[in-house]
Amino acid sequence: MAVQTARIRLEQPLVTSERPREPEWGSDVVAELLRRLAVPYIALNPGASYRGLHDSLVNYNANRDPSLILCNHEEVAIGVAHGYAKLRGRAMAAAIHSNVGLMHATMAIFNAFEDRAPMLILGGNGPMDATQRRPWIDWVHTSHGQGELVREFTKWEHQPTSIAATPEALLRAWQIAHLEPPGPAYVDLDAGLQESRLSEPVAVPDPAEFPAPQPPAPAEELIRHAAEWLAQADFPVFLPGRIAQTRQVWDDLRALAEALGAAVVSERRGNAAFPTSHTLAQQADVLERADVVLALERNDPAGTLRAALGQGSRGGGRSSVAWPKLINVSLEPMRVSSWVADYQELPRAGLTILSTPDATLAALVPAVERALRDHPTARRKVEQRTEQHGRRRAELEAGWHAQRVRTWDARPISYARVVSELREALGERYPDAVLAYMPTAWPPGVWDFQKPGAYLGGDGGAGIGAGPPLTVGAALGAEESGRPVVGIVGDGAMLMTPTALWTAAHHRIPALLVVANNRSYFNDEEHQERVARARGRPVENRGVGQRIVDPDVDFAQLARAQGVEGLGPVVEPDDLAQAMGAAVAALNEGRPVLVDVRVAPR
Ligand SMILES: Cc1ncc(C[n+]2csc(CCOP(=O)(O)OP(=O)(O)O)c2C)c(N)n1
Ligand SMILES: [Mg+2]
């Protein structure tokens, strides 16, 4: 199959000049440090508050390390950086113009913060020295404590007050952004300092001399304890969440699950970490039987358990099902916010391991194998459990299959059909595919995640509009691997960040976006229905103020208007194969493409 290796198009400066031997202007120092950090890209929407930096990136760095990725909205710029970080596990940068750009960026920064995605955000401000300000505009675009806008949802925000202090601030921000749990860091650059001519050389540190701090290893005693619990469990269940996307972690998680015959219940908010087609990949109902639960950077492990055990959401309800022994592996207690309640319910965990899932799994696998060696009865139980899981899995698969058959010709088109046809069209590229974003109504058993990077997890903060830029950012990050990147996004979301498409077209970023178009903010129709039912009011009114109809949005035209191939609306189920085939053909040629599919809401 002809697959053109993606070549992201980066703008070349029209006139190139040799880099001066040393930074000459304040902002050259920033560019020099970014170059030494090998920051690959900087997503931006331009603005005068960082025109000094913009010049240095183009004329001092020659638009390399980092290269500019032009976006038409700050929410898109941050979302692209977020998507890149999700795929690569490493930050790129974003440049955000003064207070106004930062206000546009806030929701996307919140999403990245909640998704624990590393990112270096450079802001512009000032000139803080009022005597240097241009009339009016420089005054309205100067804010004191500008970073306070995002202080509550960045890991660090800072405004250095001299150029000499700037490299260390940037280096610190870069380290903080990557340190587990990672997240965005914001460094605000005074326009006056950026544009000042250096009167003497400024030392730019070599990042290699500042090794990044590493997360703590799991305590040996806790590993021994956890291994005993797991080896002696009657029915262990694993709850993986946000996990490093490496082959090693996949192998360790799989080895541990197989050694124990443990059920693994993945979540859509975390990235894929366990083969979804595996016998041990089960659904949340298995938690009712769990006596030992291993949560690995899982979002809200206590809430997950409470929901599965039927204990309600308000703490009052007590079910007859016993609360299992919970081993909570997480570094979340190290970064607790006083602002957003993202720490979730305090987990009633018998063991809390303050370390990363990867380090913990690497230690747990041999410890559990040792513990099982001395327990022949435990090993017999493992075999029985594995068989049980196999039987349950066969039932589940039969159910999923029946559901797929039942809805195959449904009109509006079912999600199962959309996903199946996309998978079919991807053909031999399917096993390599990266699913950058999925809809809430993801059909089980149609599309399997089999390797690291197969699914990148949720948007973090449930701020709608993330899907399109996340998909484009992931596709930017996939350039080297050549993996095909697809995102399935809602029509409501697509309308919030449509210009992510232009960025994909402009930079030749091959991303395949499917608009799961139910012509509604359907998630909220469901909420209105719930309220109506609870109040005994007419559910027929649930769609008022929710439906995206009259006029229907022509998403294919929205794409074409921005230089992206646009297909659809696909209304007939039997037209889907052809549309998906055309979309994948475009993707294989290295072009971004959008397919608008009219889907049934759920
Ligand atoms: C910024 C923001 N605004 C509003 C919401 C509330 N909200 C949650 S889901 C949703 C509907 C999204 O519509 P769409 O993307 O079409 O997905 P659908 O629910 O129809 O599948 C809305 C409006 C939100 N989460 N974030
Ligand atoms: Mg919708």
Side-chain angles (χ1 to χ4, degrees), residues 107 415 440 462-464 489-494 496 516 518 520-524 548 601-602:
M107 190 210 75
Y415 277 95
T440 328
I464 292 297
V489 303
D491 49 332
M494 192 70 236
M496 287 209 185
N518 50 27
S520 170
Y521 292 104
F522 189 76
N523 180 73
D524 288 279
I548 311 174
R602 293 288 179 254

Short mmCIF file of all heavy atoms in Angstrom, two decimals, residues 107 415 440 462-464 489-494 496 516 518 520-524 548 601-602, ligand 1:
data_model
loop_
_atom_site.label_atom_id
_atom_site.label_comp_id
_atom_site.label_asym_id
_atom_site.label_seq_id
_atom_site.Cartn_x
_atom_site.Cartn_y
_atom_site.Cartn_z
N MET A 107 -9.29 27.76 28.86
CA MET A 107 -9.97 26.46 28.99
C MET A 107 -9.07 25.32 28.53
O MET A 107 -9.02 24.27 29.16
CB MET A 107 -11.28 26.42 28.21
CG MET A 107 -12.07 25.18 28.54
SD MET A 107 -13.10 24.57 27.19
CE MET A 107 -11.85 23.85 26.13
N TYR A 415 -22.73 4.23 15.91
CA TYR A 415 -21.29 4.40 16.17
C TYR A 415 -20.52 3.15 15.79
O TYR A 415 -19.41 3.20 15.28
CB TYR A 415 -21.05 4.74 17.65
CG TYR A 415 -21.22 6.19 17.95
CD1 TYR A 415 -22.43 6.68 18.44
CD2 TYR A 415 -20.18 7.09 17.75
CE1 TYR A 415 -22.60 8.03 18.72
CE2 TYR A 415 -20.33 8.44 18.02
CZ TYR A 415 -21.55 8.90 18.51
OH TYR A 415 -21.71 10.23 18.79
N THR A 440 -18.18 9.95 23.55
CA THR A 440 -18.66 9.32 24.79
C THR A 440 -19.26 7.95 24.48
O THR A 440 -19.10 7.01 25.24
CB THR A 440 -19.77 10.19 25.44
OG1 THR A 440 -19.47 11.54 25.13
CG2 THR A 440 -19.85 9.98 26.92
N ALA A 462 -12.75 17.87 30.49
CA ALA A 462 -14.10 17.84 29.91
C ALA A 462 -14.52 19.22 29.43
O ALA A 462 -15.68 19.61 29.53
CB ALA A 462 -15.13 17.26 30.89
N GLY A 463 -13.57 19.98 28.92
CA GLY A 463 -13.89 21.25 28.28
C GLY A 463 -14.09 20.98 26.80
O GLY A 463 -13.17 20.59 26.10
N ILE A 464 -15.32 21.16 26.34
CA ILE A 464 -15.67 20.76 24.97
C ILE A 464 -14.91 21.62 23.95
O ILE A 464 -14.72 22.82 24.14
CB ILE A 464 -17.19 20.88 24.77
CG1 ILE A 464 -17.90 19.82 25.62
CG2 ILE A 464 -17.58 20.72 23.32
CD1 ILE A 464 -17.59 18.40 25.25
N VAL A 489 -14.89 13.18 16.75
CA VAL A 489 -15.29 14.32 17.59
C VAL A 489 -16.77 14.65 17.36
O VAL A 489 -17.31 14.40 16.28
CB VAL A 489 -14.42 15.57 17.29
CG1 VAL A 489 -12.94 15.25 17.50
CG2 VAL A 489 -14.64 16.09 15.89
N GLY A 490 -17.38 15.25 18.36
CA GLY A 490 -18.78 15.64 18.25
C GLY A 490 -18.95 16.85 17.34
O GLY A 490 -18.01 17.60 17.11
N ASP A 491 -20.17 17.02 16.86
CA ASP A 491 -20.44 18.20 16.02
C ASP A 491 -20.33 19.47 16.86
O ASP A 491 -19.80 20.49 16.41
CB ASP A 491 -21.81 18.09 15.34
CG ASP A 491 -22.94 17.70 16.28
OD1 ASP A 491 -22.68 17.03 17.30
OD2 ASP A 491 -24.10 18.07 16.00
N GLY A 492 -20.79 19.39 18.12
CA GLY A 492 -20.67 20.55 19.00
C GLY A 492 -19.21 20.92 19.21
O GLY A 492 -18.82 22.10 19.12
N ALA A 493 -18.39 19.93 19.46
CA ALA A 493 -16.96 20.18 19.68
C ALA A 493 -16.31 20.76 18.43
O ALA A 493 -15.52 21.71 18.50
CB ALA A 493 -16.27 18.87 20.08
N MET A 494 -16.68 20.21 17.28
CA MET A 494 -16.06 20.67 16.02
C MET A 494 -16.35 22.13 15.77
O MET A 494 -15.54 22.86 15.22
CB MET A 494 -16.59 19.81 14.86
CG MET A 494 -15.83 19.97 13.56
SD MET A 494 -14.17 19.25 13.63
CE MET A 494 -13.20 20.66 13.17
N MET A 496 -16.63 24.36 18.02
CA MET A 496 -15.92 25.22 18.97
C MET A 496 -14.49 25.51 18.52
O MET A 496 -13.97 26.58 18.78
CB MET A 496 -15.91 24.58 20.35
CG MET A 496 -17.26 24.64 21.02
SD MET A 496 -17.11 24.69 22.80
CE MET A 496 -18.82 24.60 23.29
N ALA A 516 -18.76 12.99 14.44
CA ALA A 516 -19.90 12.16 14.83
C ALA A 516 -21.06 13.13 15.03
O ALA A 516 -21.28 13.67 16.10
CB ALA A 516 -19.58 11.40 16.11
N ASN A 518 -24.50 14.25 15.44
CA ASN A 518 -25.87 13.92 15.86
C ASN A 518 -26.73 15.19 15.87
O ASN A 518 -27.83 15.21 16.41
CB ASN A 518 -25.90 13.22 17.22
CG ASN A 518 -25.08 13.95 18.27
OD1 ASN A 518 -24.92 15.17 18.17
ND2 ASN A 518 -24.56 13.23 19.25
N SER A 520 -26.66 17.85 17.54
CA SER A 520 -27.13 18.23 18.88
C SER A 520 -25.95 18.28 19.85
O SER A 520 -24.93 17.62 19.65
CB SER A 520 -28.12 17.17 19.38
OG SER A 520 -28.41 17.39 20.74
N TYR A 521 -26.16 19.05 20.91
CA TYR A 521 -25.28 18.94 22.08
C TYR A 521 -25.87 17.81 22.92
O TYR A 521 -26.41 18.03 24.00
CB TYR A 521 -25.25 20.26 22.85
CG TYR A 521 -24.55 21.37 22.10
CD1 TYR A 521 -25.28 22.38 21.48
CD2 TYR A 521 -23.17 21.40 22.00
CE1 TYR A 521 -24.65 23.39 20.77
CE2 TYR A 521 -22.53 22.41 21.28
CZ TYR A 521 -23.27 23.39 20.68
OH TYR A 521 -22.63 24.38 19.99
N PHE A 522 -25.79 16.60 22.37
CA PHE A 522 -26.66 15.54 22.86
C PHE A 522 -26.43 15.18 24.32
O PHE A 522 -27.37 14.86 25.05
CB PHE A 522 -26.53 14.29 21.99
CG PHE A 522 -27.58 13.28 22.35
CD1 PHE A 522 -28.90 13.47 21.94
CD2 PHE A 522 -27.28 12.20 23.14
CE1 PHE A 522 -29.88 12.57 22.32
CE2 PHE A 522 -28.27 11.30 23.52
CZ PHE A 522 -29.57 11.48 23.11
N ASN A 523 -25.17 15.23 24.72
CA ASN A 523 -24.88 14.92 26.13
C ASN A 523 -25.80 15.71 27.06
O ASN A 523 -26.26 15.21 28.08
CB ASN A 523 -23.41 15.26 26.40
CG ASN A 523 -22.99 14.99 27.83
OD1 ASN A 523 -22.84 13.84 28.21
ND2 ASN A 523 -22.82 16.05 28.60
N ASP A 524 -26.07 16.94 26.67
CA ASP A 524 -26.91 17.79 27.53
C ASP A 524 -28.40 17.58 27.32
O ASP A 524 -29.20 17.88 28.22
CB ASP A 524 -26.49 19.25 27.37
CG ASP A 524 -25.15 19.45 28.04
OD1 ASP A 524 -25.13 19.61 29.28
OD2 ASP A 524 -24.13 19.35 27.35
N ILE A 548 -28.51 21.27 17.00
CA ILE A 548 -27.73 22.08 16.05
C ILE A 548 -28.33 21.85 14.66
O ILE A 548 -27.74 21.19 13.80
CB ILE A 548 -26.22 21.70 16.14
CG1 ILE A 548 -25.76 21.69 17.60
CG2 ILE A 548 -25.38 22.69 15.33
CD1 ILE A 548 -24.33 21.19 17.82
N PRO A 601 -27.60 9.33 18.21
CA PRO A 601 -26.96 9.92 19.39
C PRO A 601 -26.19 8.92 20.25
O PRO A 601 -25.12 9.20 20.73
CB PRO A 601 -28.14 10.50 20.17
CG PRO A 601 -29.20 10.73 19.17
CD PRO A 601 -29.02 9.68 18.12
N ARG A 602 -26.74 7.76 20.49
CA ARG A 602 -26.03 6.80 21.34
C ARG A 602 -26.12 5.42 20.74
O ARG A 602 -27.04 5.10 20.05
CB ARG A 602 -26.62 6.78 22.77
CG ARG A 602 -26.38 8.06 23.54
CD ARG A 602 -24.93 8.21 23.97
NE ARG A 602 -24.73 9.46 24.70
CZ ARG A 602 -24.09 10.54 24.19
NH1 ARG A 602 -23.64 10.52 22.97
NH2 ARG A 602 -23.92 11.62 24.92
C1 LIG B 1 -16.57 24.45 27.30
C2 LIG B 1 -17.75 23.60 27.57
N1 LIG B 1 -18.98 24.06 27.32
C3 LIG B 1 -20.05 23.28 27.56
C4 LIG B 1 -19.90 22.03 28.07
C5 LIG B 1 -21.11 21.18 28.40
N2 LIG B 1 -21.17 20.06 27.47
C6 LIG B 1 -20.73 18.83 27.81
S1 LIG B 1 -20.93 17.72 26.60
C7 LIG B 1 -21.65 18.87 25.61
C8 LIG B 1 -22.17 18.48 24.26
C9 LIG B 1 -21.12 18.35 23.25
O1 LIG B 1 -21.73 18.17 22.01
P1 LIG B 1 -21.06 17.28 20.92
O2 LIG B 1 -19.62 17.60 20.83
O3 LIG B 1 -21.86 17.42 19.68
O4 LIG B 1 -21.16 15.80 21.53
P2 LIG B 1 -22.50 14.93 21.78
O5 LIG B 1 -22.82 15.04 23.22
O6 LIG B 1 -23.58 15.44 20.90
O7 LIG B 1 -22.08 13.53 21.40
C10 LIG B 1 -21.70 20.10 26.23
C11 LIG B 1 -22.26 21.30 25.60
C12 LIG B 1 -18.59 21.60 28.36
N3 LIG B 1 -18.34 20.40 28.89
N4 LIG B 1 -17.53 22.38 28.07
#
